Amino acid sequence: MEVAKVLISEEEIAAKLAEMGKQISADYANEDLLMVGVLKGAFIVMADLARHVDLPVEFDFMAVSSYGAATQTSGVVRILKDLDQEIAGRNVLIVEDIIDSGLTLSYLMKSLRVRRPKSLEVATLLLKKDIQRVPIDTKYVGFEIGPEFVVGYGLDYAGKYRNLPYVGLME
Ligand code: IMP
Ligand code: MG
């Protein structure tokens, strides 16, 4: 596979997810917790983060796709796969690969909030610094990065590179 330049190494990601998992385990100790992965991008983060969460947590997934131009999100999101379960009264933690404009997540959170979860928080591996077009209150952030386009660890370019074991910059 053509290799992208390493921005965040496998080792750095592993250490960060272990730390995030430990924090989540402490914050939700003795609480019910449902972790919700946003497909497809979050599938690797979810799998690796989940193994550092030492709680009887449950999992669900949503799949969304944004309408409009290819590289810029419009903020209007279509739910391709909804949650399998009700979230009323539950602690919900959305797991994301990356927050860019924040529009996707903002829309998603709005549509989940009306279902009246007990709490609704976000854990993301990557946050593009200072370019959110809507404020997103992100409880757990792995790494803050610049505005550059990254691939790997779940993130794709035209559907490819999700399986790179690190976060890379396209050459
Ligand atoms: P938003 O702009 O925060 O709504 O991000 C929407 C989606 O765009 C993210 O969930 C990713 O799937 C994708 N995305 C944003 N930035 C990148 C990137 O640097 N690489 C790959 N995908 C990205
Ligand atoms: Mg995504």
Side-chain angles (χ1 to χ4, degrees):
M1 191 160 70
E2 193 185 320
V3 178
K5 194 175 134 218
V6 178
L7 180 67
I8 307 170
S9 72
E10 266 187 90
E11 293 75 19
E12 288 173 293
I13 296 168
K16 186 65 77 175
L17 291 180
E19 197 182 294
M20 281 169 79
K22 211 172 159 190
Q23 191 61 54
I24 291 166
S25 306
D27 292 350
Y28 292 92
N30 307 312
E31 290 274 348
D32 153 70
L33 177 61
L34 177 71
M35 290 173 70
V36 171
V38 184
L39 297 172
K40 306 185 180 76
F43 79 114
I44 293 180
V45 177
M46 179 69 120
D48 287 347
L49 177 60
R51 281 174 281 184
H52 292 290
V53 177
D54 188 20
L55 297 172
V57 59
E58 290 176 35
F59 299 94
D60 207 338
F61 292 90
M62 291 184 83
V64 298
S65 111
S66 32
Y67 286 115
T71 51
Q72 282 276 314
T73 37
S74 58
V76 181
V77 171
R78 192 156 53 109
I79 295 178
L80 301 177
K81 184 221 169 289
D82 205 340
L83 296 174
D84 291 337
Q85 52 209 295
E86 310 271 311
I87 57 167
R90 304 199 64 184
N91 294 305
V92 175
L93 179 61
I94 299 175
V95 177
E96 262 285 22
D97 49 358
I98 192 164
I99 300 173
D100 185 351
S101 70
L103 291 170
T104 305
L105 198 53
S106 163
Y107 183 93
L108 202 62
M109 289 181 83
K110 234 179 271 169
S111 69
L112 291 183
R113 238 181 238 115
V114 299
R115 303 180 196 181
R116 304 247 164 241
K118 182 177 175 189
S119 67
L120 183 63
E121 300 289 354
V122 178
T124 186
L125 178 66
L126 305 172
L127 175 72
K128 287 190 180 174
K129 211 168 149 41
D130 301 330
I131 60 167
Q132 280 70 57
R133 286 162 60 187
V134 283
I136 300 270
D137 188 12
T138 313
K139 192 166 184 188
Y140 308 97
V141 177
F143 302 92
E144 291 194 341
I145 62 171
E148 60 271 11
F149 193 84
V150 292
V151 293
Y153 221 84
L155 291 154
D156 73 303
Y157 171 68
K160 304 268 186 345
Y161 306 107
R162 294 191 194 276
N163 54 324
L164 275 184
Y166 55 88
V167 172
L169 291 167
M170 295 299 292
E171 302 271 52

